[in-house]
Amino acid sequence: MLLLSLMGCPKQAPETAAVTTEPVVTGAFEPILMPVQGSPIVYLQATCRAGSAYDASGKEGLAWVTARLMRDGGAGQASAELVQGQLFSMGADIEVVADKDLVTFRSKALVDDIDTLMPLFTDILAKPTLDEGVFYRVVDEAREGVTSGLMARDEALGDAALDKAIFEGGPYAHPVQGLDAALQSLSLEDVQAFHASSYTQSSCVYGIGGAVTDKLVQDFIIQMMALPAGEERAAPQAMVALPEGRDLLVVEKSTGSTGAHFGHAI
């Protein structure tokens, strides 16, 4: 059994070395720099306003599926298998973290491998292949996550129920992986359109850290400029009806434990 309580409440560097980079472009789309003196590793990260709160009604799960398909469905001229093989040869990975508001891609590699990793990283963001076969696998993974997967994890089930109770009817109500019925209706064209509108210079920030050099920064800027300029995205508007006093939602489930979740919108 899970007990969820909604309460109406009032709202409430490492050591671096100098980098003398003169950007090859003007304007705001330049990376955040965090050089670390003596580091043998280069770190890459890009964070975009492309989280699940940007899912259209009836398309809940589109943001998560898009992010996973970008990572797993090939990039540029490289197939999904070739991307994975190149990452394996470097002992590297490109991690994607999708959340309610933001999606973050991050990776790292030794200095000797960064010239191979960086084009893979930027192609995944700007020129993903979005392979159709991988699309169906990712959708199945998301559906499993919000059905049997969610029911198997009491903590996640409680969080999902609390979000739904607090944000009912708004963009923050559904799990990041989506809703099963909506996931079944998604198409590859939906993913392509979401990527084109969400992964732009206007909606993303990016950075490079570790063994940073002027050349690496210049290369990173040039490659990230492959993202379209895009338009500023309005922040999703949470729909919240704060309860007066306290509400209790009980979710009955055959389980050996009882979890309690307390919270309010902030």
Side-chain angles (χ1 to χ4, degrees), residues 49-88:
R49 292 187 291 277
S52 63
Y54 292 93
D55 289 337
S57 178
K59 301 292 183 183
E60 292 86 355
L62 180 56
W64 190 91
V65 169
T66 301
R68 287 304 317 177
L69 187 55
M70 290 166 65
R71 166 58 184 84
D72 294 344
Q77 299 301 310
S79 66
E81 293 76 14
L82 183 55
V83 169
Q84 199 55 43
Q86 289 180 303
L87 290 171
F88 181 79

Short mmCIF file of all heavy atoms in Angstrom, two decimals, residues 49-88:
data_model
loop_
_atom_site.label_atom_id
_atom_site.label_comp_id
_atom_site.label_asym_id
_atom_site.label_seq_id
_atom_site.Cartn_x
_atom_site.Cartn_y
_atom_site.Cartn_z
N ARG A 49 15.94 22.31 -23.29
CA ARG A 49 14.57 22.38 -22.78
C ARG A 49 13.69 21.52 -23.67
O ARG A 49 13.02 21.99 -24.59
CB ARG A 49 14.10 23.84 -22.76
CG ARG A 49 14.83 24.70 -21.74
CD ARG A 49 14.23 26.10 -21.61
NE ARG A 49 14.47 26.89 -22.82
CZ ARG A 49 15.58 27.56 -23.07
NH1 ARG A 49 16.59 27.52 -22.20
NH2 ARG A 49 15.71 28.27 -24.17
N ALA A 50 13.71 20.23 -23.40
CA ALA A 50 13.02 19.25 -24.24
C ALA A 50 12.48 18.10 -23.40
O ALA A 50 12.37 16.98 -23.87
CB ALA A 50 13.98 18.71 -25.31
N GLY A 51 12.16 18.39 -22.14
CA GLY A 51 11.69 17.35 -21.24
C GLY A 51 10.22 17.01 -21.44
O GLY A 51 9.53 17.54 -22.32
N SER A 52 9.72 16.13 -20.59
CA SER A 52 8.38 15.58 -20.78
C SER A 52 7.27 16.61 -20.60
O SER A 52 6.15 16.41 -21.07
CB SER A 52 8.15 14.41 -19.81
OG SER A 52 8.21 14.86 -18.45
N ALA A 53 7.57 17.75 -19.95
CA ALA A 53 6.55 18.79 -19.81
C ALA A 53 6.22 19.43 -21.15
O ALA A 53 5.20 20.12 -21.28
CB ALA A 53 7.01 19.86 -18.82
N TYR A 54 7.08 19.20 -22.17
CA TYR A 54 6.81 19.71 -23.51
C TYR A 54 6.03 18.72 -24.38
O TYR A 54 5.76 19.01 -25.55
CB TYR A 54 8.13 20.09 -24.20
CG TYR A 54 8.82 21.28 -23.56
CD1 TYR A 54 9.78 21.10 -22.57
CD2 TYR A 54 8.49 22.58 -23.92
CE1 TYR A 54 10.41 22.19 -21.97
CE2 TYR A 54 9.11 23.67 -23.33
CZ TYR A 54 10.06 23.46 -22.36
OH TYR A 54 10.68 24.55 -21.75
N ASP A 55 5.68 17.56 -23.82
CA ASP A 55 4.84 16.62 -24.56
C ASP A 55 3.48 17.26 -24.84
O ASP A 55 2.86 17.84 -23.94
CB ASP A 55 4.60 15.34 -23.75
CG ASP A 55 5.83 14.47 -23.62
OD1 ASP A 55 6.73 14.58 -24.47
OD2 ASP A 55 5.87 13.65 -22.67
N ALA A 56 3.00 17.13 -26.07
CA ALA A 56 1.64 17.59 -26.37
C ALA A 56 0.64 16.62 -25.74
O ALA A 56 0.94 15.45 -25.50
CB ALA A 56 1.43 17.66 -27.88
N SER A 57 -0.56 17.12 -25.48
CA SER A 57 -1.62 16.26 -24.95
C SER A 57 -1.90 15.14 -25.95
O SER A 57 -2.04 15.37 -27.15
CB SER A 57 -2.89 17.09 -24.73
OG SER A 57 -3.94 16.26 -24.27
N GLY A 58 -1.94 13.93 -25.45
CA GLY A 58 -2.14 12.77 -26.31
C GLY A 58 -0.84 12.20 -26.86
O GLY A 58 -0.85 11.15 -27.51
N LYS A 59 0.29 12.88 -26.59
CA LYS A 59 1.61 12.42 -27.04
C LYS A 59 2.55 12.24 -25.84
O LYS A 59 3.77 12.37 -25.97
CB LYS A 59 2.22 13.42 -28.02
CG LYS A 59 1.39 13.68 -29.27
CD LYS A 59 1.34 12.46 -30.19
CE LYS A 59 0.58 12.76 -31.47
NZ LYS A 59 0.47 11.55 -32.34
N GLU A 60 2.00 11.93 -24.69
CA GLU A 60 2.81 11.79 -23.49
C GLU A 60 3.83 10.65 -23.65
O GLU A 60 3.46 9.52 -23.90
CB GLU A 60 1.92 11.51 -22.27
CG GLU A 60 1.04 12.68 -21.86
CD GLU A 60 -0.28 12.75 -22.62
OE1 GLU A 60 -0.48 11.92 -23.54
OE2 GLU A 60 -1.12 13.61 -22.28
N GLY A 61 5.10 10.99 -23.53
CA GLY A 61 6.19 10.05 -23.76
C GLY A 61 7.03 10.42 -24.96
O GLY A 61 8.11 9.86 -25.16
N LEU A 62 6.58 11.39 -25.75
CA LEU A 62 7.30 11.77 -26.97
C LEU A 62 8.69 12.32 -26.66
O LEU A 62 9.66 11.98 -27.36
CB LEU A 62 6.49 12.80 -27.76
CG LEU A 62 7.09 13.30 -29.07
CD1 LEU A 62 7.41 12.16 -30.01
CD2 LEU A 62 6.14 14.30 -29.73
N ALA A 63 8.82 13.13 -25.64
CA ALA A 63 10.13 13.70 -25.30
C ALA A 63 11.12 12.59 -24.92
O ALA A 63 12.28 12.60 -25.35
CB ALA A 63 10.00 14.70 -24.16
N TRP A 64 10.66 11.64 -24.10
CA TRP A 64 11.54 10.56 -23.66
C TRP A 64 11.94 9.68 -24.84
O TRP A 64 13.11 9.33 -25.00
CB TRP A 64 10.85 9.72 -22.58
CG TRP A 64 11.75 8.73 -21.91
CD1 TRP A 64 12.50 8.93 -20.78
CD2 TRP A 64 12.02 7.38 -22.34
NE1 TRP A 64 13.21 7.78 -20.48
CE2 TRP A 64 12.94 6.81 -21.42
CE3 TRP A 64 11.57 6.60 -23.41
CZ2 TRP A 64 13.40 5.51 -21.54
CZ3 TRP A 64 12.05 5.30 -23.53
CH2 TRP A 64 12.95 4.76 -22.61
N VAL A 65 10.97 9.31 -25.67
CA VAL A 65 11.26 8.47 -26.83
C VAL A 65 12.23 9.18 -27.77
O VAL A 65 13.18 8.57 -28.29
CB VAL A 65 9.96 8.09 -27.56
CG1 VAL A 65 10.26 7.44 -28.92
CG2 VAL A 65 9.13 7.12 -26.71
N THR A 66 12.03 10.48 -27.99
CA THR A 66 12.93 11.23 -28.86
C THR A 66 14.36 11.22 -28.33
O THR A 66 15.31 10.95 -29.09
CB THR A 66 12.44 12.68 -29.02
OG1 THR A 66 11.11 12.69 -29.57
CG2 THR A 66 13.36 13.48 -29.93
N ALA A 67 14.52 11.49 -27.05
CA ALA A 67 15.86 11.52 -26.45
C ALA A 67 16.55 10.17 -26.56
O ALA A 67 17.73 10.08 -26.92
CB ALA A 67 15.78 11.98 -25.00
N ARG A 68 15.82 9.10 -26.26
CA ARG A 68 16.41 7.77 -26.33
C ARG A 68 16.74 7.38 -27.77
O ARG A 68 17.78 6.76 -28.05
CB ARG A 68 15.47 6.73 -25.74
CG ARG A 68 15.33 6.73 -24.24
CD ARG A 68 16.63 6.59 -23.49
NE ARG A 68 17.53 5.58 -24.04
CZ ARG A 68 18.75 5.35 -23.56
NH1 ARG A 68 19.22 6.06 -22.56
NH2 ARG A 68 19.50 4.42 -24.11
N LEU A 69 15.87 7.76 -28.72
CA LEU A 69 16.12 7.41 -30.10
C LEU A 69 17.29 8.21 -30.67
O LEU A 69 18.06 7.69 -31.49
CB LEU A 69 14.86 7.64 -30.94
CG LEU A 69 14.91 7.17 -32.39
CD1 LEU A 69 15.27 5.69 -32.48
CD2 LEU A 69 13.58 7.43 -33.10
N MET A 70 17.45 9.45 -30.23
CA MET A 70 18.64 10.22 -30.63
C MET A 70 19.90 9.49 -30.19
O MET A 70 20.87 9.37 -30.96
CB MET A 70 18.59 11.61 -30.00
CG MET A 70 17.53 12.53 -30.58
SD MET A 70 17.25 14.00 -29.56
CE MET A 70 18.85 14.83 -29.70
N ARG A 71 19.89 8.98 -28.97
CA ARG A 71 21.08 8.31 -28.43
C ARG A 71 21.32 6.95 -29.08
O ARG A 71 22.46 6.59 -29.37
CB ARG A 71 20.93 8.13 -26.91
CG ARG A 71 21.91 7.16 -26.24
CD ARG A 71 23.35 7.58 -26.47
NE ARG A 71 24.27 6.60 -25.90
CZ ARG A 71 24.67 5.49 -26.50
NH1 ARG A 71 24.23 5.19 -27.72
NH2 ARG A 71 25.52 4.67 -25.90
N ASP A 72 20.25 6.19 -29.34
CA ASP A 72 20.41 4.80 -29.75
C ASP A 72 20.17 4.54 -31.23
O ASP A 72 20.41 3.43 -31.70
CB ASP A 72 19.45 3.91 -28.94
CG ASP A 72 19.78 3.88 -27.46
OD1 ASP A 72 20.90 4.27 -27.09
OD2 ASP A 72 18.91 3.47 -26.67
N GLY A 73 19.68 5.55 -31.97
CA GLY A 73 19.23 5.30 -33.34
C GLY A 73 20.16 5.76 -34.43
O GLY A 73 19.73 5.94 -35.57
N GLY A 74 21.47 5.89 -34.13
CA GLY A 74 22.42 6.30 -35.15
C GLY A 74 22.58 7.80 -35.21
O GLY A 74 21.75 8.56 -34.69
N ALA A 75 23.67 8.27 -35.84
CA ALA A 75 23.95 9.71 -35.88
C ALA A 75 24.77 10.05 -37.11
O ALA A 75 25.74 9.34 -37.44
CB ALA A 75 24.71 10.14 -34.62
N GLY A 76 24.39 11.13 -37.79
CA GLY A 76 25.12 11.53 -38.98
C GLY A 76 25.09 10.43 -40.02
O GLY A 76 24.05 9.91 -40.38
N GLN A 77 26.27 10.05 -40.50
CA GLN A 77 26.39 8.97 -41.48
C GLN A 77 26.61 7.60 -40.82
O GLN A 77 26.76 6.60 -41.51
CB GLN A 77 27.56 9.25 -42.43
CG GLN A 77 27.42 10.54 -43.22
CD GLN A 77 26.17 10.54 -44.07
OE1 GLN A 77 25.91 9.58 -44.81
NE2 GLN A 77 25.37 11.61 -43.99
N ALA A 78 26.62 7.57 -39.49
CA ALA A 78 26.92 6.33 -38.76
C ALA A 78 25.65 5.64 -38.30
O ALA A 78 24.75 6.28 -37.74
CB ALA A 78 27.81 6.64 -37.55
N SER A 79 25.57 4.35 -38.53
CA SER A 79 24.45 3.56 -38.04
C SER A 79 24.53 3.44 -36.52
O SER A 79 25.55 3.75 -35.89
CB SER A 79 24.48 2.16 -38.65
OG SER A 79 25.63 1.45 -38.19
N ALA A 80 23.44 2.95 -35.93
CA ALA A 80 23.44 2.73 -34.49
C ALA A 80 24.56 1.79 -34.07
O ALA A 80 25.24 2.01 -33.06
CB ALA A 80 22.08 2.17 -34.05
N GLU A 81 24.79 0.72 -34.86
CA GLU A 81 25.84 -0.25 -34.53
C GLU A 81 27.22 0.38 -34.62
O GLU A 81 28.09 0.11 -33.78
CB GLU A 81 25.75 -1.45 -35.47
CG GLU A 81 24.50 -2.30 -35.31
CD GLU A 81 23.25 -1.66 -35.91
OE1 GLU A 81 23.40 -0.68 -36.69
OE2 GLU A 81 22.14 -2.13 -35.60
N LEU A 82 27.43 1.24 -35.63
CA LEU A 82 28.73 1.88 -35.79
C LEU A 82 28.99 2.87 -34.66
O LEU A 82 30.11 2.94 -34.13
CB LEU A 82 28.81 2.60 -37.14
CG LEU A 82 30.16 3.27 -37.47
CD1 LEU A 82 31.30 2.27 -37.38
CD2 LEU A 82 30.10 3.91 -38.85
N VAL A 83 27.98 3.64 -34.27
CA VAL A 83 28.14 4.56 -33.15
C VAL A 83 28.54 3.80 -31.90
O VAL A 83 29.49 4.16 -31.20
CB VAL A 83 26.84 5.36 -32.90
CG1 VAL A 83 26.93 6.12 -31.58
CG2 VAL A 83 26.58 6.32 -34.04
N GLN A 84 27.82 2.71 -31.62
CA GLN A 84 28.12 1.94 -30.41
C GLN A 84 29.51 1.31 -30.49
O GLN A 84 30.23 1.26 -29.50
CB GLN A 84 27.06 0.86 -30.20
CG GLN A 84 26.99 0.31 -28.78
CD GLN A 84 26.81 1.40 -27.74
OE1 GLN A 84 26.02 2.32 -27.92
NE2 GLN A 84 27.55 1.29 -26.64
N GLY A 85 29.90 0.85 -31.67
CA GLY A 85 31.23 0.27 -31.84
C GLY A 85 32.33 1.29 -31.61
O GLY A 85 33.36 0.98 -30.98
N GLN A 86 32.15 2.50 -32.10
CA GLN A 86 33.16 3.54 -31.90
C GLN A 86 33.27 3.92 -30.42
O GLN A 86 34.36 4.13 -29.90
CB GLN A 86 32.83 4.75 -32.76
CG GLN A 86 33.05 4.53 -34.25
CD GLN A 86 32.72 5.76 -35.06
OE1 GLN A 86 31.61 6.28 -35.02
NE2 GLN A 86 33.69 6.22 -35.82
N LEU A 87 32.12 4.02 -29.76
CA LEU A 87 32.15 4.33 -28.33
C LEU A 87 32.85 3.21 -27.56
O LEU A 87 33.66 3.47 -26.65
CB LEU A 87 30.72 4.52 -27.80
CG LEU A 87 29.99 5.78 -28.26
CD1 LEU A 87 28.52 5.73 -27.84
CD2 LEU A 87 30.65 7.03 -27.69
N PHE A 88 32.55 1.96 -27.91
CA PHE A 88 33.16 0.82 -27.22
C PHE A 88 34.67 0.84 -27.40
O PHE A 88 35.42 0.55 -26.46
CB PHE A 88 32.57 -0.48 -27.76
CG PHE A 88 33.13 -1.72 -27.09
CD1 PHE A 88 32.66 -2.11 -25.85
CD2 PHE A 88 34.12 -2.46 -27.71
CE1 PHE A 88 33.18 -3.25 -25.23
CE2 PHE A 88 34.64 -3.59 -27.10
CZ PHE A 88 34.17 -3.99 -25.86
#
